[in-house]
Amino acid sequence: LSYIQWADAASLELLRYCISLCESDPLLWLFTLRPDRDSPAWGFSQYLETEFIHRLVCIELPPLSPEASRQMVLQILGEHRLADSTLELVIQKTEGNPYYINEILQTLIEQEVLQRNEQGQWYEAREIASFDLPDSLQGLLLSRIGRLAPEERQVLQIASVTGLIFWENVLQQITDNPAQLKAALKQLLKARFIQERHPSPELGMEYLFTSSLIRDVVYDGLLSSQRTQCHLKVATTLETCVRSESIKR
């Protein structure tokens, strides 16, 4: 059964009922799902790990390496169909996710950046320096972000203004609800939007967006006035934090 993260509660309940057949019959269950903690299937996977650990084998697929991503693009389009700069841009933006690679190539085709010649071979009709995320990919990320609580979304928005890397003390000074910051960061960590790096004496715990695509989608969702206001607050807070630590020294 593929992509069970899309399964509804009734279907998952039926699977719970049927799964025990593997205890008495020579039956192999094979499930694929994305590690989305907000999906109902996440609870199902936790159930399997608890109740059927003696039967369960989990295989986690890591992101493709840059070379594997390059080979996937070449397999789809053929050799020498993209300029090196465009190929590197695709690899950088997709971050080893095969679904992202396929969606971005499809978007380049729809935008007629990629076209077929008389022999039916793909070629790059014009050079590009950047590209927008395809609607399907943007929608997927927006749906994940939309399921966050308001205070968690605000933390993510402020963080996106800071950049791929951001700091707890900066967020503490800017967020509307500082008391809820640690709880919001904990939820964002659980949902794999961000990851911890290391503490900074001046700025507190340093965090990193798990994907530049997530950061881009969050940032692009801010109004121009919100961006301007947040950029000013972040710059002022960074300056204050660093200056305060310098004075202490």
Side-chain angles (χ1 to χ4, degrees):
L1 298 174
S2 300
Y3 306 115
I4 64 168
Q5 71 272 6
W6 303 123
D8 58 26
S11 299
L12 292 172
E13 191 61 35
L14 177 61
L15 285 177
R16 282 181 183 241
Y17 178 79
C18 295
I19 201 76
S20 60
L21 290 173
C22 67
E23 297 281 32
S24 56
D25 297 294
L27 179 64
L28 172 67
W29 292 95
L30 182 62
F31 304 107
T32 65
L33 75 156
R34 297 192 188 112
D36 183 355
R37 291 177 182 267
D38 293 326
S39 163
W42 184 261
F44 177 69
S45 68
Q46 296 298 297
Y47 169 74
L48 294 180
E49 290 180 9
T50 302
E51 301 297 328
F52 294 92
I53 188 63
H54 57 298
R55 302 284 185 192
L56 184 66
V57 176
C58 294
I59 302 175
E60 185 171 345
L61 299 179
L64 298 178
S65 67
E67 180 56 31
S69 297
R70 185 176 289 104
Q71 290 302 318
M72 179 176 173
V73 174
L74 296 181
Q75 188 175 34
I76 294 171
L77 300 179
E79 295 277 352
H80 309 299
R81 301 303 168 194
L82 284 178
D84 289 343
S85 58
T86 304
L87 179 57
E88 291 306 314
L89 185 61
V90 170
I91 293 170
Q92 176 190 354
K93 280 288 187 182
T94 53
E95 299 175 330
N97 189 311
Y99 173 75
Y100 292 178
I101 292 174
N102 191 68
E103 289 297 307
I104 282 181
L105 291 180
Q106 186 60 41
T107 297
L108 294 179
I109 292 170
E110 291 171 358
Q111 294 175 347
E112 298 186 341
V113 173
L114 284 171
Q115 299 181 25
R116 289 188 186 274
N117 59 23
E118 294 178 356
Q119 290 75 40
Q121 299 172 323
W122 292 108
Y123 71 98
E124 189 173 342
R126 63 179 188 276
E127 289 188 19
I128 58 170
S130 63
F131 48 72
D132 295 328
L133 293 179
D135 291 341
S136 57
L137 180 51
Q138 193 169 37
L140 179 66
L141 296 176
L142 283 172
S143 68
R144 286 190 62 206
I145 295 165
R147 292 196 293 269
L148 294 172
E151 58 271 17
E152 294 159 11
R153 274 201 304 276
Q154 190 202 36
V155 169
L156 213 57
Q157 289 168 340
I158 297 171
S160 74
V161 171
T162 309
L164 276 176
I165 296 172
F166 57 95
W167 300 270
E168 184 175 359
N169 289 358
V170 176
L171 296 175
Q172 188 76 35
Q173 298 299 318
I174 299 174
T175 182
D176 291 341
N177 197 347
Q180 296 296 318
L181 178 60
K182 285 192 178 295
L185 289 169
K186 183 178 179 180
Q187 287 303 118
L188 293 172
L189 285 165
K190 283 184 176 181
R192 300 190 182 186
F193 283 104
I194 62 174
Q195 62 189 55
E196 282 184 342
R197 282 164 59 92
H198 47 72
S200 162
E202 302 92 345
L203 303 174
M205 179 58 70
E206 182 176 291
Y207 293 89
L208 171 73
F209 277 91
T210 55
S211 166
S212 63
L213 296 179
I214 292 175
R215 184 264 168 186
D216 291 348
V217 168
V218 174
Y219 185 77
D220 290 344
L222 291 170
L223 298 175
S224 179
S225 58
Q226 290 176 307
R227 291 183 194 176
T228 302
Q229 188 179 32
C230 276
H231 274 293
L232 180 59
K233 287 182 177 180
V234 167
T236 303
T237 303
L238 281 170
E239 184 180 18
T240 302
C241 288
V242 174
R243 184 189 298 156
S244 298
E245 186 63 27
S246 298
I247 291 172
K248 290 178 184 177
R249 292 175 181 174

